[in-house]
Amino acid sequence: MQSMTKPAKRKHYSPRPESPWKRKIAVGGAILLSLVTTVGALSIILYYKGKADTGVAQIQIQKEISPLLLHARQNVQRAQTLIRTAGTDPQEIRGVTILILNSCEKILSLDPHNEEGWRLRGRAMEYRFEFQKAAEAYSKAIQILPSSQANLWRGFLGIRELTQLRLQSEDSKELREKTKEDLRRFVFYSQGDISDPQNRFLASLCIAWLLEEHNNVQTLYRTSQTIAPTEWIPPLISALSYFDAGNKKEALPAFQKAGMLAPYLSEITAFQGKLLREGERP
């Protein structure tokens, strides 16, 4: 007879009760994950909102700056006209520069990194014969935008400062080098600008004088009579070149022509007086 065997009893495992501390960890982790997710979402929202707010603020600032820049540009043009006009009252020019400076102050209070605001401030300071402050403003514009046209104006300012030195029969190799670099930088950055060949030519003329290329200066000066017949820079550079070469007879009429084109620039008038006095000496 086949023996009957009883099936083995299965062991019954009762689930262990969950530890209270594990439950707390799980709940805490869920809460922490929820917080991290919420904070991340809020951060993204605030980031894009901040960018949008900044964009709106910038648009508003530009709207406020735009008429101020226009006002400053117009007064710079007005000052240039006055400087080139014989019999202009110096106080009238000074009054125009105050208007330019007031506009620039408002522009730079709204946007301290506005390149044109600093550049126009430099022009006003130069018209006031405050050369150090003009150079500082031009330098700030160049710092903000290395290709700024302030390179040209700081270069021309250097020419005026060198003219004052030559008036005293002095010179400055350091200032010559700095002025030359400013003008070369302007020529380099303006190569692609077909709308401004005149200023590139004037810069090249000044560079020739700084390099003491006297023959080249006079050749370029003759060309300038066609390219820039009403600019005072060409006859001034021609006069300085003749003076440096010891040809005071040719220098005097060149200084006189520069003085006719820019009667307000005192260093040109002073040079004329110097040469006239020296010519009267026996």
Side-chain angles (χ1 to χ4, degrees), residues 201-238:
F201 178 83
L202 294 177
S204 299
L205 174 61
C206 292
I207 291 169
W209 173 65
L210 293 167
L211 292 172
E212 300 182 351
E213 298 174 350
H214 300 305
N215 290 335
N216 192 24
V217 166
Q218 302 310 330
T219 300
L220 291 172
Y221 172 65
R222 288 190 288 273
T223 304
S224 75
Q225 302 308 292
T226 301
I227 296 177
T230 62
E231 291 294 331
W232 56 270
I233 282 282
L236 172 62
I237 295 300
S238 175

PDB file of all heavy atoms in Angstrom, residues 201-238:
ATOM      1  N   PHE A 201      41.129 110.882 -43.679  1.00  0.00           N
ATOM      2  CA  PHE A 201      42.182 111.638 -44.359  1.00  0.00           C
ATOM      3  C   PHE A 201      42.841 112.615 -43.379  1.00  0.00           C
ATOM      4  O   PHE A 201      44.075 112.737 -43.347  1.00  0.00           O
ATOM      5  CB  PHE A 201      41.607 112.401 -45.552  1.00  0.00           C
ATOM      6  CG  PHE A 201      42.615 113.248 -46.270  1.00  0.00           C
ATOM      7  CD1 PHE A 201      43.457 112.690 -47.222  1.00  0.00           C
ATOM      8  CD2 PHE A 201      42.743 114.600 -45.971  1.00  0.00           C
ATOM      9  CE1 PHE A 201      44.413 113.472 -47.866  1.00  0.00           C
ATOM     10  CE2 PHE A 201      43.691 115.381 -46.612  1.00  0.00           C
ATOM     11  CZ  PHE A 201      44.521 114.821 -47.562  1.00  0.00           C
ATOM     12  N   LEU A 202      42.042 113.312 -42.587  1.00  0.00           N
ATOM     13  CA  LEU A 202      42.592 114.271 -41.625  1.00  0.00           C
ATOM     14  C   LEU A 202      43.476 113.561 -40.601  1.00  0.00           C
ATOM     15  O   LEU A 202      44.532 114.077 -40.220  1.00  0.00           O
ATOM     16  CB  LEU A 202      41.457 115.019 -40.919  1.00  0.00           C
ATOM     17  CG  LEU A 202      40.597 115.938 -41.797  1.00  0.00           C
ATOM     18  CD1 LEU A 202      39.476 116.561 -40.981  1.00  0.00           C
ATOM     19  CD2 LEU A 202      41.451 117.022 -42.448  1.00  0.00           C
ATOM     20  N   ALA A 203      43.037 112.379 -40.171  1.00  0.00           N
ATOM     21  CA  ALA A 203      43.837 111.606 -39.216  1.00  0.00           C
ATOM     22  C   ALA A 203      45.171 111.210 -39.842  1.00  0.00           C
ATOM     23  O   ALA A 203      46.229 111.298 -39.207  1.00  0.00           O
ATOM     24  CB  ALA A 203      43.069 110.366 -38.765  1.00  0.00           C
ATOM     25  N   SER A 204      45.140 110.801 -41.112  1.00  0.00           N
ATOM     26  CA  SER A 204      46.369 110.401 -41.805  1.00  0.00           C
ATOM     27  C   SER A 204      47.325 111.587 -41.967  1.00  0.00           C
ATOM     28  O   SER A 204      48.546 111.437 -41.843  1.00  0.00           O
ATOM     29  CB  SER A 204      46.032 109.821 -43.179  1.00  0.00           C
ATOM     30  OG  SER A 204      45.215 108.662 -43.047  1.00  0.00           O
ATOM     31  N   LEU A 205      46.766 112.764 -42.225  1.00  0.00           N
ATOM     32  CA  LEU A 205      47.579 113.978 -42.342  1.00  0.00           C
ATOM     33  C   LEU A 205      48.291 114.276 -41.021  1.00  0.00           C
ATOM     34  O   LEU A 205      49.492 114.573 -40.991  1.00  0.00           O
ATOM     35  CB  LEU A 205      46.693 115.149 -42.749  1.00  0.00           C
ATOM     36  CG  LEU A 205      47.334 116.547 -42.781  1.00  0.00           C
ATOM     37  CD1 LEU A 205      48.474 116.588 -43.780  1.00  0.00           C
ATOM     38  CD2 LEU A 205      46.286 117.606 -43.096  1.00  0.00           C
ATOM     39  N   CYS A 206      47.551 114.167 -39.922  1.00  0.00           N
ATOM     40  CA  CYS A 206      48.123 114.411 -38.597  1.00  0.00           C
ATOM     41  C   CYS A 206      49.221 113.390 -38.275  1.00  0.00           C
ATOM     42  O   CYS A 206      50.270 113.737 -37.719  1.00  0.00           O
ATOM     43  CB  CYS A 206      47.036 114.357 -37.530  1.00  0.00           C
ATOM     44  SG  CYS A 206      45.839 115.704 -37.617  1.00  0.00           S
ATOM     45  N   ILE A 207      48.976 112.135 -38.643  1.00  0.00           N
ATOM     46  CA  ILE A 207      49.967 111.075 -38.387  1.00  0.00           C
ATOM     47  C   ILE A 207      51.261 111.375 -39.139  1.00  0.00           C
ATOM     48  O   ILE A 207      52.364 111.172 -38.613  1.00  0.00           O
ATOM     49  CB  ILE A 207      49.397 109.701 -38.778  1.00  0.00           C
ATOM     50  CG1 ILE A 207      48.264 109.303 -37.815  1.00  0.00           C
ATOM     51  CG2 ILE A 207      50.492 108.632 -38.768  1.00  0.00           C
ATOM     52  CD1 ILE A 207      47.470 108.089 -38.261  1.00  0.00           C
ATOM     53  N   ALA A 208      51.144 111.874 -40.375  1.00  0.00           N
ATOM     54  CA  ALA A 208      52.344 112.206 -41.161  1.00  0.00           C
ATOM     55  C   ALA A 208      53.172 113.272 -40.439  1.00  0.00           C
ATOM     56  O   ALA A 208      54.409 113.193 -40.414  1.00  0.00           O
ATOM     57  CB  ALA A 208      51.940 112.685 -42.552  1.00  0.00           C
ATOM     58  N   TRP A 209      52.495 114.262 -39.851  1.00  0.00           N
ATOM     59  CA  TRP A 209      53.236 115.290 -39.110  1.00  0.00           C
ATOM     60  C   TRP A 209      53.890 114.708 -37.859  1.00  0.00           C
ATOM     61  O   TRP A 209      55.042 115.006 -37.554  1.00  0.00           O
ATOM     62  CB  TRP A 209      52.318 116.448 -38.716  1.00  0.00           C
ATOM     63  CG  TRP A 209      53.007 117.432 -37.817  1.00  0.00           C
ATOM     64  CD1 TRP A 209      54.079 118.226 -38.159  1.00  0.00           C
ATOM     65  CD2 TRP A 209      52.726 117.703 -36.447  1.00  0.00           C
ATOM     66  NE1 TRP A 209      54.478 118.983 -37.073  1.00  0.00           N
ATOM     67  CE2 TRP A 209      53.657 118.683 -36.006  1.00  0.00           C
ATOM     68  CE3 TRP A 209      51.778 117.220 -35.552  1.00  0.00           C
ATOM     69  CZ2 TRP A 209      53.657 119.187 -34.706  1.00  0.00           C
ATOM     70  CZ3 TRP A 209      51.775 117.726 -34.256  1.00  0.00           C
ATOM     71  CH2 TRP A 209      52.700 118.688 -33.842  1.00  0.00           C
ATOM     72  N   LEU A 210      53.154 113.856 -37.153  1.00  0.00           N
ATOM     73  CA  LEU A 210      53.697 113.243 -35.937  1.00  0.00           C
ATOM     74  C   LEU A 210      54.918 112.390 -36.240  1.00  0.00           C
ATOM     75  O   LEU A 210      55.816 112.250 -35.402  1.00  0.00           O
ATOM     76  CB  LEU A 210      52.607 112.407 -35.253  1.00  0.00           C
ATOM     77  CG  LEU A 210      51.434 113.208 -34.664  1.00  0.00           C
ATOM     78  CD1 LEU A 210      50.273 112.289 -34.314  1.00  0.00           C
ATOM     79  CD2 LEU A 210      51.869 113.997 -33.431  1.00  0.00           C
ATOM     80  N   LEU A 211      54.954 111.824 -37.449  1.00  0.00           N
ATOM     81  CA  LEU A 211      56.104 111.027 -37.879  1.00  0.00           C
ATOM     82  C   LEU A 211      57.213 111.896 -38.477  1.00  0.00           C
ATOM     83  O   LEU A 211      58.234 111.373 -38.934  1.00  0.00           O
ATOM     84  CB  LEU A 211      55.658 109.985 -38.912  1.00  0.00           C
ATOM     85  CG  LEU A 211      54.738 108.872 -38.385  1.00  0.00           C
ATOM     86  CD1 LEU A 211      54.206 108.031 -39.541  1.00  0.00           C
ATOM     87  CD2 LEU A 211      55.480 107.987 -37.393  1.00  0.00           C
ATOM     88  N   GLU A 212      56.969 113.230 -38.504  1.00  0.00           N
ATOM     89  CA  GLU A 212      57.936 114.198 -39.040  1.00  0.00           C
ATOM     90  C   GLU A 212      58.225 113.963 -40.526  1.00  0.00           C
ATOM     91  O   GLU A 212      59.338 114.172 -41.007  1.00  0.00           O
ATOM     92  CB  GLU A 212      59.237 114.179 -38.217  1.00  0.00           C
ATOM     93  CG  GLU A 212      59.001 114.525 -36.752  1.00  0.00           C
ATOM     94  CD  GLU A 212      60.279 114.561 -35.933  1.00  0.00           C
ATOM     95  OE1 GLU A 212      61.343 114.158 -36.458  1.00  0.00           O
ATOM     96  OE2 GLU A 212      60.223 115.003 -34.777  1.00  0.00           O
ATOM     97  N   GLU A 213      57.191 113.536 -41.247  1.00  0.00           N
ATOM     98  CA  GLU A 213      57.299 113.350 -42.695  1.00  0.00           C
ATOM     99  C   GLU A 213      56.863 114.652 -43.377  1.00  0.00           C
ATOM    100  O   GLU A 213      55.763 114.763 -43.923  1.00  0.00           O
ATOM    101  CB  GLU A 213      56.428 112.178 -43.142  1.00  0.00           C
ATOM    102  CG  GLU A 213      56.840 110.843 -42.529  1.00  0.00           C
ATOM    103  CD  GLU A 213      55.880 109.715 -42.876  1.00  0.00           C
ATOM    104  OE1 GLU A 213      54.794 110.000 -43.439  1.00  0.00           O
ATOM    105  OE2 GLU A 213      56.202 108.548 -42.578  1.00  0.00           O
ATOM    106  N   HIS A 214      57.733 115.663 -43.352  1.00  0.00           N
ATOM    107  CA  HIS A 214      57.342 117.008 -43.776  1.00  0.00           C
ATOM    108  C   HIS A 214      56.951 117.091 -45.248  1.00  0.00           C
ATOM    109  O   HIS A 214      55.988 117.799 -45.597  1.00  0.00           O
ATOM    110  CB  HIS A 214      58.476 117.992 -43.455  1.00  0.00           C
ATOM    111  CG  HIS A 214      58.804 118.057 -41.999  1.00  0.00           C
ATOM    112  ND1 HIS A 214      57.861 118.340 -41.034  1.00  0.00           N
ATOM    113  CD2 HIS A 214      59.971 117.846 -41.321  1.00  0.00           C
ATOM    114  CE1 HIS A 214      58.426 118.327 -39.836  1.00  0.00           C
ATOM    115  NE2 HIS A 214      59.709 118.015 -39.977  1.00  0.00           N
ATOM    116  N   ASN A 215      57.659 116.396 -46.112  1.00  0.00           N
ATOM    117  CA  ASN A 215      57.297 116.422 -47.533  1.00  0.00           C
ATOM    118  C   ASN A 215      55.929 115.795 -47.759  1.00  0.00           C
ATOM    119  O   ASN A 215      55.108 116.297 -48.538  1.00  0.00           O
ATOM    120  CB  ASN A 215      58.356 115.696 -48.363  1.00  0.00           C
ATOM    121  CG  ASN A 215      59.669 116.463 -48.431  1.00  0.00           C
ATOM    122  OD1 ASN A 215      59.680 117.688 -48.277  1.00  0.00           O
ATOM    123  ND2 ASN A 215      60.769 115.756 -48.647  1.00  0.00           N
ATOM    124  N   ASN A 216      55.685 114.679 -47.054  1.00  0.00           N
ATOM    125  CA  ASN A 216      54.392 114.006 -47.178  1.00  0.00           C
ATOM    126  C   ASN A 216      53.260 114.887 -46.648  1.00  0.00           C
ATOM    127  O   ASN A 216      52.153 114.912 -47.201  1.00  0.00           O
ATOM    128  CB  ASN A 216      54.430 112.680 -46.414  1.00  0.00           C
ATOM    129  CG  ASN A 216      53.240 111.788 -46.714  1.00  0.00           C
ATOM    130  OD1 ASN A 216      52.628 111.912 -47.781  1.00  0.00           O
ATOM    131  ND2 ASN A 216      52.903 110.910 -45.799  1.00  0.00           N
ATOM    132  N   VAL A 217      53.541 115.630 -45.581  1.00  0.00           N
ATOM    133  CA  VAL A 217      52.535 116.533 -45.012  1.00  0.00           C
ATOM    134  C   VAL A 217      52.089 117.542 -46.063  1.00  0.00           C
ATOM    135  O   VAL A 217      50.882 117.763 -46.265  1.00  0.00           O
ATOM    136  CB  VAL A 217      53.090 117.273 -43.771  1.00  0.00           C
ATOM    137  CG1 VAL A 217      52.182 118.446 -43.399  1.00  0.00           C
ATOM    138  CG2 VAL A 217      53.208 116.312 -42.595  1.00  0.00           C
ATOM    139  N   GLN A 218      53.034 118.173 -46.745  1.00  0.00           N
ATOM    140  CA  GLN A 218      52.671 119.210 -47.714  1.00  0.00           C
ATOM    141  C   GLN A 218      51.942 118.618 -48.923  1.00  0.00           C
ATOM    142  O   GLN A 218      51.039 119.247 -49.483  1.00  0.00           O
ATOM    143  CB  GLN A 218      53.924 119.979 -48.155  1.00  0.00           C
ATOM    144  CG  GLN A 218      54.680 120.641 -47.013  1.00  0.00           C
ATOM    145  CD  GLN A 218      53.792 121.481 -46.087  1.00  0.00           C
ATOM    146  OE1 GLN A 218      52.771 122.038 -46.512  1.00  0.00           O
ATOM    147  NE2 GLN A 218      54.167 121.576 -44.815  1.00  0.00           N
ATOM    148  N   THR A 219      52.312 117.388 -49.300  1.00  0.00           N
ATOM    149  CA  THR A 219      51.594 116.719 -50.396  1.00  0.00           C
ATOM    150  C   THR A 219      50.149 116.451 -49.996  1.00  0.00           C
ATOM    151  O   THR A 219      49.210 116.715 -50.767  1.00  0.00           O
ATOM    152  CB  THR A 219      52.291 115.391 -50.761  1.00  0.00           C
ATOM    153  OG1 THR A 219      53.626 115.656 -51.180  1.00  0.00           O
ATOM    154  CG2 THR A 219      51.532 114.673 -51.873  1.00  0.00           C
ATOM    155  N   LEU A 220      49.955 115.919 -48.790  1.00  0.00           N
ATOM    156  CA  LEU A 220      48.603 115.651 -48.295  1.00  0.00           C
ATOM    157  C   LEU A 220      47.823 116.951 -48.095  1.00  0.00           C
ATOM    158  O   LEU A 220      46.608 116.995 -48.318  1.00  0.00           O
ATOM    159  CB  LEU A 220      48.673 114.875 -46.976  1.00  0.00           C
ATOM    160  CG  LEU A 220      49.171 113.431 -47.072  1.00  0.00           C
ATOM    161  CD1 LEU A 220      49.382 112.845 -45.676  1.00  0.00           C
ATOM    162  CD2 LEU A 220      48.177 112.576 -47.847  1.00  0.00           C
ATOM    163  N   TYR A 221      48.519 117.993 -47.689  1.00  0.00           N
ATOM    164  CA  TYR A 221      47.839 119.284 -47.484  1.00  0.00           C
ATOM    165  C   TYR A 221      47.238 119.788 -48.789  1.00  0.00           C
ATOM    166  O   TYR A 221      46.106 120.274 -48.822  1.00  0.00           O
ATOM    167  CB  TYR A 221      48.810 120.314 -46.917  1.00  0.00           C
ATOM    168  CG  TYR A 221      48.209 121.700 -46.866  1.00  0.00           C
ATOM    169  CD1 TYR A 221      47.124 121.983 -46.031  1.00  0.00           C
ATOM    170  CD2 TYR A 221      48.695 122.729 -47.674  1.00  0.00           C
ATOM    171  CE1 TYR A 221      46.548 123.249 -46.004  1.00  0.00           C
ATOM    172  CE2 TYR A 221      48.138 123.987 -47.647  1.00  0.00           C
ATOM    173  CZ  TYR A 221      47.061 124.244 -46.812  1.00  0.00           C
ATOM    174  OH  TYR A 221      46.486 125.496 -46.777  1.00  0.00           O
ATOM    175  N   ARG A 222      47.975 119.657 -49.864  1.00  0.00           N
ATOM    176  CA  ARG A 222      47.444 120.098 -51.160  1.00  0.00           C
ATOM    177  C   ARG A 222      46.199 119.298 -51.532  1.00  0.00           C
ATOM    178  O   ARG A 222      45.227 119.850 -52.080  1.00  0.00           O
ATOM    179  CB  ARG A 222      48.519 119.978 -52.240  1.00  0.00           C
ATOM    180  CG  ARG A 222      49.630 121.025 -52.119  1.00  0.00           C
ATOM    181  CD  ARG A 222      50.544 121.021 -53.331  1.00  0.00           C
ATOM    182  NE  ARG A 222      51.395 119.836 -53.368  1.00  0.00           N
ATOM    183  CZ  ARG A 222      52.576 119.759 -52.760  1.00  0.00           C
ATOM    184  NH1 ARG A 222      53.041 120.780 -52.060  1.00  0.00           N
ATOM    185  NH2 ARG A 222      53.310 118.657 -52.863  1.00  0.00           N
ATOM    186  N   THR A 223      46.216 118.011 -51.220  1.00  0.00           N
ATOM    187  CA  THR A 223      45.037 117.180 -51.492  1.00  0.00           C
ATOM    188  C   THR A 223      43.859 117.598 -50.617  1.00  0.00           C
ATOM    189  O   THR A 223      42.698 117.536 -51.042  1.00  0.00           O
ATOM    190  CB  THR A 223      45.373 115.694 -51.231  1.00  0.00           C
ATOM    191  OG1 THR A 223      46.498 115.329 -52.009  1.00  0.00           O
ATOM    192  CG2 THR A 223      44.199 114.798 -51.579  1.00  0.00           C
ATOM    193  N   SER A 224      44.161 118.050 -49.414  1.00  0.00           N
ATOM    194  CA  SER A 224      43.090 118.430 -48.470  1.00  0.00           C
ATOM    195  C   SER A 224      42.280 119.613 -48.970  1.00  0.00           C
ATOM    196  O   SER A 224      41.136 119.810 -48.545  1.00  0.00           O
ATOM    197  CB  SER A 224      43.689 118.764 -47.103  1.00  0.00           C
ATOM    198  OG  SER A 224      44.337 120.031 -47.119  1.00  0.00           O
ATOM    199  N   GLN A 225      42.861 120.414 -49.859  1.00  0.00           N
ATOM    200  CA  GLN A 225      42.126 121.566 -50.383  1.00  0.00           C
ATOM    201  C   GLN A 225      40.897 121.132 -51.173  1.00  0.00           C
ATOM    202  O   GLN A 225      39.949 121.901 -51.332  1.00  0.00           O
ATOM    203  CB  GLN A 225      43.047 122.421 -51.267  1.00  0.00           C
ATOM    204  CG  GLN A 225      44.295 122.926 -50.563  1.00  0.00           C
ATOM    205  CD  GLN A 225      43.960 123.632 -49.258  1.00  0.00           C
ATOM    206  OE1 GLN A 225      43.360 124.707 -49.251  1.00  0.00           O
ATOM    207  NE2 GLN A 225      44.309 123.019 -48.143  1.00  0.00           N
ATOM    208  N   THR A 226      40.927 119.885 -51.626  1.00  0.00           N
ATOM    209  CA  THR A 226      39.769 119.330 -52.340  1.00  0.00           C
ATOM    210  C   THR A 226      38.872 118.526 -51.400  1.00  0.00           C
ATOM    211  O   THR A 226      37.638 118.637 -51.453  1.00  0.00           O
ATOM    212  CB  THR A 226      40.238 118.412 -53.484  1.00  0.00           C
ATOM    213  OG1 THR A 226      41.056 119.167 -54.383  1.00  0.00           O
ATOM    214  CG2 THR A 226      39.041 117.838 -54.237  1.00  0.00           C
ATOM    215  N   ILE A 227      39.507 117.730 -50.537  1.00  0.00           N
ATOM    216  CA  ILE A 227      38.738 116.839 -49.657  1.00  0.00           C
ATOM    217  C   ILE A 227      38.117 117.576 -48.472  1.00  0.00           C
ATOM    218  O   ILE A 227      36.973 117.306 -48.087  1.00  0.00           O
ATOM    219  CB  ILE A 227      39.647 115.699 -49.141  1.00  0.00           C
ATOM    220  CG1 ILE A 227      40.105 114.836 -50.306  1.00  0.00           C
ATOM    221  CG2 ILE A 227      38.933 114.844 -48.101  1.00  0.00           C
ATOM    222  CD1 ILE A 227      41.055 113.721 -49.921  1.00  0.00           C
ATOM    223  N   ALA A 228      38.869 118.508 -47.873  1.00  0.00           N
ATOM    224  CA  ALA A 228      38.380 119.197 -46.664  1.00  0.00           C
ATOM    225  C   ALA A 228      38.762 120.669 -46.709  1.00  0.00           C
ATOM    226  O   ALA A 228      39.548 121.154 -45.883  1.00  0.00           O
ATOM    227  CB  ALA A 228      38.957 118.532 -45.418  1.00  0.00           C
ATOM    228  N   PRO A 229      38.193 121.430 -47.655  1.00  0.00           N
ATOM    229  CA  PRO A 229      38.617 122.824 -47.851  1.00  0.00           C
ATOM    230  C   PRO A 229      38.246 123.774 -46.708  1.00  0.00           C
ATOM    231  O   PRO A 229      38.864 124.834 -46.576  1.00  0.00           O
ATOM    232  CB  PRO A 229      37.892 123.224 -49.147  1.00  0.00           C
ATOM    233  CG  PRO A 229      36.697 122.318 -49.204  1.00  0.00           C
ATOM    234  CD  PRO A 229      37.154 121.028 -48.618  1.00  0.00           C
ATOM    235  N   THR A 230      37.266 123.407 -45.890  1.00  0.00           N
ATOM    236  CA  THR A 230      36.829 124.316 -44.818  1.00  0.00           C
ATOM    237  C   THR A 230      37.298 123.868 -43.434  1.00  0.00           C
ATOM    238  O   THR A 230      36.903 124.464 -42.433  1.00  0.00           O
ATOM    239  CB  THR A 230      35.287 124.434 -44.810  1.00  0.00           C
ATOM    240  OG1 THR A 230      34.710 123.139 -44.549  1.00  0.00           O
ATOM    241  CG2 THR A 230      34.769 124.951 -46.136  1.00  0.00           C
ATOM    242  N   GLU A 231      38.131 122.832 -43.371  1.00  0.00           N
ATOM    243  CA  GLU A 231      38.612 122.340 -42.075  1.00  0.00           C
ATOM    244  C   GLU A 231      39.889 123.065 -41.662  1.00  0.00           C
ATOM    245  O   GLU A 231      40.762 123.332 -42.493  1.00  0.00           O
ATOM    246  CB  GLU A 231      38.870 120.829 -42.148  1.00  0.00           C
ATOM    247  CG  GLU A 231      37.617 119.991 -42.295  1.00  0.00           C
ATOM    248  CD  GLU A 231      36.707 120.064 -41.078  1.00  0.00           C
ATOM    249  OE1 GLU A 231      37.231 120.267 -39.960  1.00  0.00           O
ATOM    250  OE2 GLU A 231      35.487 119.934 -41.254  1.00  0.00           O
ATOM    251  N   TRP A 232      40.005 123.369 -40.376  1.00  0.00           N
ATOM    252  CA  TRP A 232      41.176 124.097 -39.871  1.00  0.00           C
ATOM    253  C   TRP A 232      42.383 123.189 -39.607  1.00  0.00           C
ATOM    254  O   TRP A 232      43.516 123.670 -39.544  1.00  0.00           O
ATOM    255  CB  TRP A 232      40.823 124.844 -38.584  1.00  0.00           C
ATOM    256  CG  TRP A 232      40.264 123.977 -37.479  1.00  0.00           C
ATOM    257  CD1 TRP A 232      38.950 123.687 -37.257  1.00  0.00           C
ATOM    258  CD2 TRP A 232      41.014 123.286 -36.463  1.00  0.00           C
ATOM    259  NE1 TRP A 232      38.826 122.844 -36.166  1.00  0.00           N
ATOM    260  CE2 TRP A 232      40.068 122.593 -35.654  1.00  0.00           C
ATOM    261  CE3 TRP A 232      42.366 123.179 -36.152  1.00  0.00           C
ATOM    262  CZ2 TRP A 232      40.455 121.804 -34.568  1.00  0.00           C
ATOM    263  CZ3 TRP A 232      42.749 122.406 -35.077  1.00  0.00           C
ATOM    264  CH2 TRP A 232      41.801 121.727 -34.298  1.00  0.00           C
ATOM    265  N   ILE A 233      42.141 121.881 -39.469  1.00  0.00           N
ATOM    266  CA  ILE A 233      43.242 120.957 -39.177  1.00  0.00           C
ATOM    267  C   ILE A 233      44.316 120.963 -40.282  1.00  0.00           C
ATOM    268  O   ILE A 233      45.524 121.048 -39.984  1.00  0.00           O
ATOM    269  CB  ILE A 233      42.707 119.529 -38.956  1.00  0.00           C
ATOM    270  CG1 ILE A 233      42.098 119.400 -37.550  1.00  0.00           C
ATOM    271  CG2 ILE A 233      43.793 118.486 -39.133  1.00  0.00           C
ATOM    272  CD1 ILE A 233      43.106 119.251 -36.441  1.00  0.00           C
ATOM    273  N   PRO A 234      43.966 120.882 -41.594  1.00  0.00           N
ATOM    274  CA  PRO A 234      45.016 120.812 -42.627  1.00  0.00           C
ATOM    275  C   PRO A 234      45.968 122.014 -42.627  1.00  0.00           C
ATOM    276  O   PRO A 234      47.192 121.804 -42.611  1.00  0.00           O
ATOM    277  CB  PRO A 234      44.217 120.698 -43.929  1.00  0.00           C
ATOM    278  CG  PRO A 234      42.944 120.029 -43.513  1.00  0.00           C
ATOM    279  CD  PRO A 234      42.632 120.625 -42.175  1.00  0.00           C
ATOM    280  N   PRO A 235      45.453 123.262 -42.634  1.00  0.00           N
ATOM    281  CA  PRO A 235      46.422 124.369 -42.623  1.00  0.00           C
ATOM    282  C   PRO A 235      47.228 124.437 -41.328  1.00  0.00           C
ATOM    283  O   PRO A 235      48.395 124.847 -41.350  1.00  0.00           O
ATOM    284  CB  PRO A 235      45.546 125.620 -42.813  1.00  0.00           C
ATOM    285  CG  PRO A 235      44.174 125.202 -42.449  1.00  0.00           C
ATOM    286  CD  PRO A 235      44.086 123.754 -42.795  1.00  0.00           C
ATOM    287  N   LEU A 236      46.633 124.017 -40.201  1.00  0.00           N
ATOM    288  CA  LEU A 236      47.385 124.001 -38.947  1.00  0.00           C
ATOM    289  C   LEU A 236      48.542 123.012 -39.023  1.00  0.00           C
ATOM    290  O   LEU A 236      49.676 123.328 -38.637  1.00  0.00           O
ATOM    291  CB  LEU A 236      46.467 123.639 -37.779  1.00  0.00           C
ATOM    292  CG  LEU A 236      47.183 123.407 -36.431  1.00  0.00           C
ATOM    293  CD1 LEU A 236      47.905 124.672 -35.978  1.00  0.00           C
ATOM    294  CD2 LEU A 236      46.198 122.925 -35.367  1.00  0.00           C
ATOM    295  N   ILE A 237      48.264 121.810 -39.531  1.00  0.00           N
ATOM    296  CA  ILE A 237      49.314 120.790 -39.642  1.00  0.00           C
ATOM    297  C   ILE A 237      50.390 121.236 -40.628  1.00  0.00           C
ATOM    298  O   ILE A 237      51.596 121.047 -40.399  1.00  0.00           O
ATOM    299  CB  ILE A 237      48.709 119.436 -40.070  1.00  0.00           C
ATOM    300  CG1 ILE A 237      47.778 118.896 -38.977  1.00  0.00           C
ATOM    301  CG2 ILE A 237      49.813 118.434 -40.372  1.00  0.00           C
ATOM    302  CD1 ILE A 237      48.451 118.652 -37.643  1.00  0.00           C
ATOM    303  N   SER A 238      49.966 121.855 -41.735  1.00  0.00           N
ATOM    304  CA  SER A 238      50.934 122.375 -42.711  1.00  0.00           C
ATOM    305  C   SER A 238      51.826 123.424 -42.050  1.00  0.00           C
ATOM    306  O   SER A 238      53.059 123.422 -42.234  1.00  0.00           O
ATOM    307  CB  SER A 238      50.194 122.990 -43.898  1.00  0.00           C
ATOM    308  OG  SER A 238      51.107 123.600 -44.794  1.00  0.00           O
TER     309      SER A 238
END
